Amino acid sequence: MKILLAGGAGYIGSHTAVALLEAGHEVVVVDNYCNSCAESIKRVEELTGKSVVSYEADVKDKAKMLEIFQANSIDCVIHFAGLKAVGESVQKPILYYRNNIDTTLTLLECMAETGVHNFVFSSSATVYGDSSNNPPYEESMERGKCSNPYGWTKSMMEQILQDAAVANKELSVVLLRYFNPIGAHPSGRIGEDPQGIPNNLMPYIAQVAVGRRDKLTIFGDDYPTPDGTCRRDYIHVMDLAAGHLQAVEFAVQNKGTEIFNLGTGTPYSVLEIVRAFENSNGIKVPFEFGPRRAGDLPAFWADASKAREVLGWRTTYTLEDMCKDTWNWQKNNPQGYRK
Ligand code: NAD
Ligand code: UD1
């Protein structure tokens, strides 16, 4: 199949590109590089020995996107192209609603106009909301109340996609709710390359380990959890990428909307992650405790049984793999993709 990856130069998109290419599919990447660079695609080509058709374009640009759809016979779209910094979304909600929702609408319009029927979407566990659902989260739970505009864009886009699939019986929509993706390709050639101060835990730990930051601040030590720090369901990005391959195959064989959690089903605390990183890599990660971060929940993790049963997908990488592969990427690319 030929699969269009909107936002395919980014962290999850580049790893998914490797998984799809290795499975024999072709990929077409569209990215405006607002949070990535073309180097990641070069490295995907180097890792797989295959070539990738890529366009530098804004996915909101309908005229340009139509040209791309018309020039390539697309079988399935995977939509990664989104802004994802939670704190920034509180400061710049209009930017987030415009970018995330417009990209989705533009893709749906282009698909309708060129006869493409399969859509896989990067959603997030954030749609389960702040208090209405108790973990482990199951796909059958109602979406909850999000604590920030980023989360609301995901929740709204899920609704838009579900409505589109109700109206168009030809359409197949797979909503993938990611838990906490970390790690990198075991080669250390592609990985997560956040711009500025990392918002997320693992990239921050990696930058402390490589000496770019002095110490980690752990947000809160008084949560109602065994060690007082928050618990999350961390998943290796290679397992996540493999989930997309199975989602694409599911999409082309089914119609309507299906939702899948992509997580391991096992939560770890912030302290456990710090200790695992230290032990896996033989390196110290200085940290201090700070106040809680607004909007954080004490603990959540996936019920991962639906993806296992329906897609036949299971995670294979351990927490140690996640820590080793993160460090392998970071130490070989201390400034990310920039030379
Ligand atoms: P990322 O920022 O590395 O990748 C997103 C890519 O989209 C970037 O390459 C960026 O340049 C591109 N992009 C953004 N807006 C665009 C536009 N208008 N036109 C063209 N390209 C555009 O992020 P990621 O971690 O790879 O996440 C991919 C998707 O998964 C996002 O939608 C994100 O919200 C979602 N997600 C990520 C996580 C996570 O922890 N990384 C968790 C849940 C959901
Ligand atoms: C966050 C977002 C979520 C988004 C996901 C992936 C919030 C509230 N949620 O999830 O919507 O889908 O990222 O982008 O922002 N931590 C520290 N110190 C740090 C960084 C993080 O202690 O410097 C802690 C956090 O408090 C949290 C855990 O580490 O308990 C994981 O944080 P993070 O990696 O940001 O992921 P989430 O908050 O789960």
Side-chain angles (χ1 to χ4, degrees):
M1 283 184 275
K2 193 179 266 194
I3 299 152
L4 187 143
L5 308 187
Y11 173 46
I12 300 169
S14 55
H15 289 81
T16 301
V18 170
L20 294 169
L21 289 165
E22 284 179 344
H25 298 297
E26 291 177 61
V27 302
V28 175
V29 168
V30 183
D31 204 301
N32 63 0
Y33 306 123
C34 67
N35 196 38
S36 58
C37 56
E39 177 64 19
S40 66
I41 297 303
K42 278 199 209 130
R43 295 195 187 181
V44 166
E45 291 182 318
E46 164 205 302
L47 284 171
T48 58
K50 302 199 173 160
S51 63
V52 172
V53 177
S54 63
Y55 296 89
E56 180 170 356
D58 191 319
V59 176
K60 301 193 294 300
D61 182 343
K62 170 93 185 275
K64 180 72 189 166
M65 290 306 292
L66 255 187
E67 272 176 35
I68 295 170
F69 273 85
Q70 280 157 354
N72 296 279
S73 176
I74 303 295
D75 296 292
C76 182
V77 169
I78 310 184
H79 182 19
F80 301 101
L83 298 175
K84 61 165 189 177
V86 170
E88 186 185 52
S89 81
V90 177
Q91 305 304 319
K92 300 177 182 172
I94 311 302
L95 177 72
Y96 272 66
Y97 286 113
R98 170 65 77 193
N99 191 71
N100 292 2
I101 292 176
D102 241 12
T103 49
T104 305
L105 297 174
T106 302
L107 288 168
L108 284 170
E109 287 176 351
C110 291
M111 288 168 63
E113 288 171 40
T114 58
V116 180
H117 302 306
N118 303 302
F119 196 109
V120 175
F121 179 60
S122 296
S123 191
S124 166
T126 198
V127 302
Y128 287 104
D130 57 8
S131 57
S132 34
N133 291 309
N134 289 319
Y137 292 155
E138 292 166 22
E139 293 87 344
S140 56
M141 291 171 168
E142 294 283 322
R143 282 188 290 268
K145 195 169 173 299
C146 296
S147 58
N148 57 76
Y150 163 76
W152 280 120
T153 68
K154 293 291 176 198
S155 184
M156 290 175 189
M157 289 185 285
E158 283 199 356
Q159 187 65 53
I160 290 167
L161 288 161
Q162 285 172 316
D163 291 344
V166 168
N168 176 1
K169 301 292 176 217
E170 286 293 296
L171 197 59
S172 173
V173 167
V174 178
L175 306 177
L176 298 178
R177 293 180 177 161
Y178 309 157
F179 281 69
N180 288 56
I182 59 173
H185 191 277
S187 66
R189 295 295 291 157
I190 57 172
E192 185 168 14
D193 183 19
Q195 310 299 304
I197 301 169
N199 298 300
N200 300 116
L201 178 63
M202 196 48 122
Y204 205 106
I205 290 177
Q207 291 197 7
V208 171
V210 86
R212 280 173 69 179
R213 320 237 160 238
D214 286 348
K215 57 176 175 300
L216 170 75
T217 302
I218 295 181
F219 301 139
D221 63 353
D222 57 352
Y223 283 98
T225 59
D227 65 18
T229 66
C230 294
R231 301 171 87 207
R232 296 287 182 274
D233 185 339
Y234 297 91
I235 172 171
H236 198 297
V237 67
M238 296 294 290
D239 279 330
L240 193 76
H244 290 73
L245 175 62
Q246 269 142 313
V248 166
E249 286 165 1
F250 179 88
V252 297
Q253 288 162 18
N254 293 276
K255 301 286 172 212
T257 304
E258 207 67 58
I259 305 175
F260 296 102
N261 287 337
L262 294 183
T264 66
T266 304
Y268 292 103
S269 74
V270 178
L271 271 175
E272 285 172 324
I273 295 292
V274 172
R275 298 300 179 216
F277 189 93
E278 291 183 328
N279 294 336
S280 304
N281 298 311
I283 192 162
K284 276 274 161 223
V285 178
F287 68 85
E288 64 182 6
F289 289 109
R292 291 181 177 195
R293 181 173 67 178
D296 276 346
L297 295 175
F300 62 84
W301 62 95
D303 178 328
S305 54
K306 184 176 172 189
R308 195 163 54 236
E309 284 156 20
V310 179
L311 299 177
W313 171 81
R314 34 180 56 72
T315 54
T316 57
Y317 289 82
T318 63
L319 179 58
E320 188 181 354
D321 298 329
M322 301 183 211
C323 293
K324 282 189 166 161
D325 290 337
T326 299
W327 180 231
N328 188 37
W329 152 254
Q330 185 71 71
K331 73 169 188 265
N332 287 306
N333 305 270
Q335 303 297 326
Y337 288 112
R338 282 143 296 171
K339 295 270 182 304

